[in-house]
Structure formats: C-alpha cells, structure tokens
Amino acid sequence: MYRVIVLLLIVFTVSTAFADTKMDITGTLEWDAMQITAIVSLDLASSGIKLPAGRIQGESLLNESCLKLIQPGILDLQVDSSSTISDIIDKGEFSLPEIEALVLNAISPPPSLSPDMLKMTTSYTIPLSGVSSVILRHSRPKQVARTLTPVSAAQYTGIVIIASESLPVYGMRNTAIAVPCLFPKIWDSEMNLIYERNMLESRNISMAHYSPLQGVFQKNPSGLSAELQAVVGEKPLKIFASGVFGIKPTDLIIDKNDAILIISSEENRRLLSQGKVAIILDESVLKQEFVSK
C-alpha cells in the first residue's frame, strides 16, 4: 500500500510540475556492471525553452526532474530474496530521502543537444555499491561460519559460483533460474548458512559481483574476464551451485564439501568477509530495462 501511495505521489508531482513538458527516461539496471544507468531527454519546445539563452534553464529542469523520473526504477531493485527497495521502505529500514541522495550523487556528464537542437539529453549512473552501502547497518561484522572438521585446502584468491542453468528450488519440486540481488545468501547442501550480508567487514564492499557465463571462458590462464579477475583474482575456487532458495531464487545452495573448502581456513573465510565472490548467472537476468514517459 505504501509503495502505491509513493508511486502515485511521484506521478502526481511530475505531471503537475511538468504538465506540458515532454520528458522521456530510458533506464537499465545492469547487474554485471553493478550499476543503474538512465538516459533522460527534455523536449525543449514543450517546455518553452529557446536556445542559446535558455540552455541553463533546460539543464536545471533536466536535473530537477531526474529524481522523480528515476525513483520508480530504484524502488523495484531487488535487495534480497524477499524484499525490494520499496519493501524495506515499508518496513522502515530505508527512506525516500536516502533514495534522493543516491540520485543526486549520480554520475552525470554535462547535457548534450540533439543535432536538430530540439532535445537536451543527459545520462545518470548510480553504482549499486553505493546503494548497498547505504542499506547495510551493522557496525561489526558477523563471524564467518567455521567447521569442527577442517580439511586441507588451497589458498584461493576468490570464489566463483556458477549458477547459469535452471536449478532445483529447495523444498519444492520445480526448478528455477537464479536471479541477482544486492545481498544473496549462500547455503551448503545441509542448509547451513555460509554467507550473508552481516559478514561483510566493510559497508563499502559489494557482497557479490555478477557475470554471464562467457566471463569464465576467456582465453587466458585463469579463464576469467578482466572484470572478474579484478574481483576474485587469478586463482579462485570455482564451484557449481546445486540449487536455489528463497521467495525469489536469489540465494544459492552449494555442496557441503565445497563449503568446507571455503570455511576450513582463515584465509579462505576472509574471501567472504571481503566480498571476493562472483556469481555466474544466465545472461537474460543480468539486465532489466525500465522506461518512463
């Protein structure tokens, strides 16, 4: 109900303030790049702006309207298996002013004019790491799980979990394609929790980085793309997810033997607390587009 009210207020505000002004937004949520990118265009004639004298006015109008146009896309961002940004606002765990701050701090180049001088356009980029850092609240990290029967394990530079195919859903008789979120949990095959957001040692660390399958089939010694190597290094532990869990299939289940390799040594446990985790998903779930007019 709160979400509906918020969206109605946004629509009302935009339609009232810019009733005769044509503004379009095309946005993309890119999980592999860990960012939200929006392109906003202003029709200069409908807003009564004449160039060159009205350029500053156009830029101001473009920036002021961006906040209200991009908010609906942020509200639908999946936080974890059971919640979107809108849901955690309803719970009092996040607020609209915090969304406004994220948008106002977006990376944006100076607006440009179309060749026919009829439209002014700019883009806005919001890193997902900035969103997650605002949501995280813990001041002291939770200890990563340990095992009473550690095994000898190599010292890895990161963890890569491959979950690009449809996987069994825990407790159900069906399968599902894993989908991304800001805070995916990792469970072992006995449903012991291996990784969750409160284990991160810093609020400025992304919990997981996402990539399509081709990111682990590159022609180099590690087999990894440059983007993945920057996260998990050249000698990561590569494992396959055995299932998914959650209201939305964001949480991964891995074999207990693979989990033990991670939690048997302090060095490998730190890979979790430092967010050196990459998740390989089907390419179709890594980009989501939204359009507002």
Side-chain angles (χ1 to χ4, degrees):
M1 182 63 181
Y2 180 84
R3 178 186 174 191
V4 174
I5 293 172
V6 169
L7 289 174
L8 287 174
L9 286 173
I10 291 170
V11 172
F12 176 78
T13 303
V14 173
S15 60
T16 301
F18 310 110
D20 299 321
T21 300
K22 293 181 181 178
M23 260 208 210
D24 297 339
I25 179 170
T26 302
T28 306
L29 169 57
E30 301 172 280
W31 286 102
D32 50 348
M34 294 297 286
Q35 65 185 23
I36 297 173
T37 302
I39 298 175
V40 184
S41 294
L42 167 67
D43 183 280
L44 296 173
S46 67
S47 58
I49 295 175
K50 295 182 180 180
L51 298 175
R55 181 171 185 125
I56 294 178
Q57 180 187 353
E59 292 181 1
S60 177
L61 186 59
L62 200 61
N63 289 328
E64 288 173 5
S65 63
C66 171
L67 172 62
K68 299 173 182 64
L69 291 169
I70 203 173
Q71 271 187 346
I74 298 177
L75 288 170
D76 285 333
L77 181 64
Q78 197 72 36
V79 176
D80 54 31
S81 66
S82 62
S83 304
T84 61
I85 293 289
S86 178
D87 294 327
I88 64 173
I89 288 176
D90 287 347
K91 298 173 186 176
E93 299 172 5
F94 203 58
S95 67
L96 284 175
E98 288 174 301
I99 291 180
E100 294 174 2
L102 289 169
V103 176
L104 292 174
N105 288 324
I107 301 167
S108 179
S112 61
L113 294 170
S114 60
D116 58 10
M117 308 289 281
L118 296 178
K119 282 189 175 182
M120 181 178 288
T121 301
T122 191
S123 64
Y124 298 85
T125 300
I126 302 173
L128 294 185
S129 58
V131 181
S132 61
S133 67
V134 175
I135 295 173
L136 286 172
R137 305 295 189 188
H138 67 277
S139 57
R140 181 176 299 178
K142 180 179 178 181
Q143 191 174 57
V144 176
R146 298 170 181 260
T147 176
L148 296 175
T149 56
V151 299
S152 178
Q155 184 173 337
Y156 301 103
T157 58
I159 301 165
V160 175
I161 303 177
I162 301 172
S164 56
E165 297 183 354
S166 187
L167 294 167
V169 180
Y170 180 80
M172 308 287 285
R173 294 184 178 180
N174 61 321
T175 61
I177 295 287
V179 297
C181 71
L182 291 177
F183 304 119
K185 292 180 179 177
I186 298 174
W187 308 78
D188 72 10
S189 48
E190 294 184 357
M191 296 311 291
N192 296 305
L193 184 58
I194 303 300
Y195 189 39
E196 55 104 350
R197 70 175 80 175
N198 292 318
M199 294 176 184
L200 292 175
E201 64 182 31
S202 170
R203 291 173 55 188
N204 297 320
I205 297 174
S206 294
M207 189 172 176
H209 297 258
Y210 295 97
S211 171
L213 191 58
Q214 60 261 34
V216 294
F217 288 108
Q218 301 296 301
K219 294 181 180 180
N220 57 52
S222 71
L224 304 177
S225 65
E227 292 78 11
L228 283 180
Q229 283 190 47
V231 176
V232 298
E234 295 186 353
K235 296 180 180 179
L237 171 64
K238 298 178 183 178
I239 56 182
F240 286 88
S242 59
V244 291
F245 181 56
I247 297 173
K248 292 284 187 180
T250 61
D251 298 352
L252 303 181
I253 301 172
I254 62 175
D255 188 86
K256 183 178 180 180
N257 291 329
D258 291 326
I260 289 178
L261 290 177
I262 299 171
I263 64 176
S264 283
S265 71
E266 179 64 28
E267 292 80 7
N268 290 339
R269 287 192 294 272
R270 288 199 68 194
L271 299 176
L272 297 176
S273 62
Q274 294 178 347
K276 295 184 180 297
V277 177
I279 298 176
I280 311 302
L281 297 181
D282 185 82
E283 191 168 7
S284 66
V285 303
L286 293 176
K287 285 184 173 60
Q288 301 164 23
E289 295 186 355
F290 59 92
V291 177
S292 176
K293 293 187 177 182

